[in-house]
Amino acid sequence: MIINEDSTNQGHISEEQLFSQISAAAFASDQKGQFPHFEFDLLRASGLLTTTLPGQNLSLDLPNTPGLLQLLKRVGRASLPVGRIYEGHINALLLISLYANAHQAQRWYEDAHTHLFGVWNTQDLDGLEIQDLGCKRYRLSGSKTFCSGASWIGRPLVTGKLISSDKSGWQMCIIPTEKLEPILADSSFWNPLGMQASVSFRMNFTGIEIDEEDLLGSPDDYYRQPHFGAGALRFAAVQLGGAEAILEETHRFLNDAKRTEDPFQQFRVAEISCLTETGNLWINQAAKHYDQWLHMPGETEKLLAYANMVRTKIEDICLRSMQLAERSVGSRGLMRPGVLERMHRDLTTYLRQPATDAVQASVGKYVLNQINTNGLWI
Ligand SMILES: Cc1cc2nc3c(=O)[nH]c(=O)nc-3n(C[C@H](O)[C@H](O)[C@H](O)COP(=O)(O)OP(=O)(O)OC[C@H]3O[C@@H](n4cnc5c(N)ncnc54)[C@H](O)[C@@H]3O)c2cc1C
């Protein structure tokens, strides 16, 4: 557990200290093929890798979404690659809470104390297949791309096409990596503009064999709504952390440069402040709606439309904040090892999420399908 700032307990650090240490480590971690070990050691020691388990502060079986999204934002503010990997860990634990049987849940929750989880769904043409061999054994073939955390994830949750005589669909499984042959990691896939430290490699599962007990849920559970679509709230929260870091760094740069009295600079800082606060209003409101609408029959489409609005607006907020900040600090403020140079690369990369156009269009479609626009989001 994180101990409050006023704690004098040896060996524990406050949240402020935790996030400032993660932030300070971000430059050193911004290297090709480098996993942010130090940062995850801190997160583990702080209890944040298990904070969503039953009975913990942000238990996923209680309406804790406001706290969870703020936590994700704070991790993202400290480091976007760490935020990306951390969000995958939380997402896997959520999918377990939704779809695992009691025995599996107990096993994987225990694993969360020692292993990192991740969710690897993206793939190219050589995507994953899960072949039923009979006798409750399954053989994997094919690859996943953008596998954040790569070989450092001890419990990757991967999805693939189930090939079996009695069931078919998009199947989740969780790989007990240390019990199997190593999964081949292709680091040459990961040559991004930013987010180096998310180590989002291509992973080849061909030849890996797993048990029935490693399959999570039924085929197609992964895409069940509103859980799949509303998951966008979590990455949007991490992204908003990036915009807040940009505001913080612009504030620091202008103060150091003694350029705070200039009205144009004040104007731009005002605008970035409005943008980040707007982002917080969106995130907080969405979190409340999520907890309220999740279990209400008939509200799935509304929740998805709301989450898609949030995702679209946060992308916009981040892009505009970046542009304003860059105009404020100029080229001198965009040099390595400056935070803004890295933030520009990391946020630009992390803002690229799938199907952005379709997501925005789906909001318009939802609204147009209503009888009128009175009380759209109540
Ligand atoms: C840092 C990072 C880490 C990641 N980690 C993971 C991970 O751990 N696990 C995982 O599963 N994935 C991960 N991903 C992948 C991520 O979820 C997305 O799948 C990926 O970023 C796709 O981005 P894209 O911009 O290529 O998307 P696209 O969907 O290709 O979007 C690009 C553009 O094309 C448009 N478009 C989309 N579809 C069509 C179409 N059919 N016709 C015409 N236009 C279209 C979009 O609207 C958009 O304008 C990660 C991505 C990043 C950047």
Side-chain angles (χ1 to χ4, degrees):
M1 295 296 301
I2 291 182
I3 305 299
N4 288 333
E5 202 152 12
D6 57 358
S7 166
T8 50
N9 261 359
Q10 291 269 320
H12 290 100
I13 56 171
S14 70
E15 284 203 14
E16 282 314 308
Q17 289 168 326
L18 169 75
F19 292 120
S20 85
Q21 286 189 34
I22 291 176
S23 177
F27 174 70
S29 295
D30 182 31
Q31 308 284 337
K32 190 167 172 51
Q34 174 141 335
F35 179 83
H37 286 286
F38 172 72
E39 294 89 322
F40 277 93
D41 287 347
L42 283 175
L43 288 172
R44 186 171 300 289
S46 305
L48 289 180
L49 296 181
T50 48
T51 190
T52 61
L53 297 187
Q56 299 301 311
N57 281 1
L58 294 175
S59 170
L60 291 167
D61 46 21
L62 293 172
N64 281 321
T65 310
L68 178 62
L69 294 189
Q70 283 299 319
L71 171 63
L72 287 166
K73 186 193 76 177
R74 293 189 73 187
V75 180
R77 178 177 168 145
S79 161
L80 283 172
V82 172
R84 164 75 282 275
I85 298 170
Y86 182 62
E87 192 277 324
H89 177 82
I90 299 293
N91 187 18
L93 294 178
L94 174 65
L95 290 165
I96 289 167
S97 78
L98 291 171
Y99 305 119
N101 63 39
H103 177 250
Q104 288 178 313
Q106 189 188 8
R107 174 161 57 100
W108 286 322
Y109 289 160
E110 273 167 26
D111 287 347
H113 291 272
T114 44
H115 289 283
L116 263 181
F117 286 69
V119 178
W120 299 341
N121 183 52
T122 309
Q123 60 183 36
D124 286 338
L125 292 178
D126 64 336
L128 196 79
E129 291 188 343
I130 305 170
Q131 174 82 51
D132 185 352
L133 301 175
C135 303
K136 300 188 173 185
R137 294 284 292 168
Y138 296 82
R139 182 177 297 142
L140 275 47
S141 62
S143 299
K144 304 303 277 188
T145 52
F146 291 95
C147 299
S148 291
S151 310
W152 294 275
I153 302 294
R155 290 289 177 275
L157 187 164
V158 296
T159 54
K161 183 179 174 191
L162 181 63
I163 300 169
S164 172
S165 55
D166 53 2
K167 48 186 179 172
S168 65
W170 201 242
Q171 178 67 51
M172 292 180 274
C173 54
I174 297 186
I175 315 287
T177 51
E178 79 282 7
K179 296 180 189 151
L180 307 168
E181 293 293 303
I183 302 162
L184 286 181
D186 176 7
S187 63
S188 69
F189 171 80
W190 193 231
N191 270 316
L193 170 70
M195 298 293 281
Q196 279 288 1
S198 72
V199 286
S200 305
F201 300 168
R202 176 197 293 272
M203 304 293 282
N204 187 336
F205 294 84
T206 303
I208 298 288
E209 286 191 20
I210 55 173
D211 291 321
E212 181 100 21
E213 265 294 283
D214 302 318
L215 301 187
L216 171 62
S218 304
D220 299 329
D221 274 350
Y222 178 75
Y223 285 120
R224 256 210 258 164
Q225 299 291 18
H227 306 289
F228 176 70
L233 295 178
R234 289 189 308 274
F235 71 66
V238 178
Q239 291 170 342
L240 180 63
E244 286 195 354
I246 283 171
L247 174 61
E248 172 68 24
E249 193 53 22
T250 307
H251 177 278
R252 191 197 61 73
F253 181 93
L254 291 176
N255 272 286
D256 288 355
K258 303 206 180 336
R259 288 184 167 183
T260 55
E261 294 307 315
D262 178 72
F264 297 102
Q265 297 289 12
Q266 291 169 351
F267 182 86
R268 275 190 293 266
V269 167
E271 216 170 331
I272 307 172
S273 305
C274 288
L275 286 165
T276 52
E277 182 58 8
T278 304
N280 275 294
L281 295 172
W282 272 110
I283 293 285
N284 291 337
Q285 184 69 355
K288 283 186 210 150
H289 284 328
Y290 182 92
D291 285 342
Q292 193 190 350
W293 295 341
L294 185 65
H295 303 293
M296 285 170 69
E299 301 294 38
T300 296
E301 294 305 314
K302 184 159 76 176
L303 176 52
L304 289 174
Y306 205 89
N308 284 338
M309 281 202 300
V310 173
R311 178 185 154 174
T312 305
K313 290 321 295 174
I314 297 291
E315 181 195 359
D316 202 33
I317 282 166
C318 291
L319 287 171
R320 287 171 61 197
S321 298
M322 242 187 312
Q323 192 184 51
L324 287 159
E326 287 165 16
R327 282 192 178 138
S328 283
V329 303
S331 57
R332 280 191 301 149
L334 284 169
M335 290 200 196
R336 295 183 196 200
V339 171
L340 285 170
E341 185 273 341
R342 180 168 39 78
M343 266 299 159
H344 173 92
R345 288 184 290 107
D346 285 351
L347 192 54
T348 301
T349 304
Y350 192 38
L351 285 176
R352 292 307 110 227
Q353 293 295 325
T356 41
D357 301 326
V359 159
Q360 178 153 3
S362 74
V363 178
K365 187 175 172 191
Y366 171 81
V367 172
L368 289 168
N369 279 343
Q370 306 308 303
I371 295 166
N372 58 47
T373 59
N374 290 337
L376 272 178
W377 313 111
I378 52 176

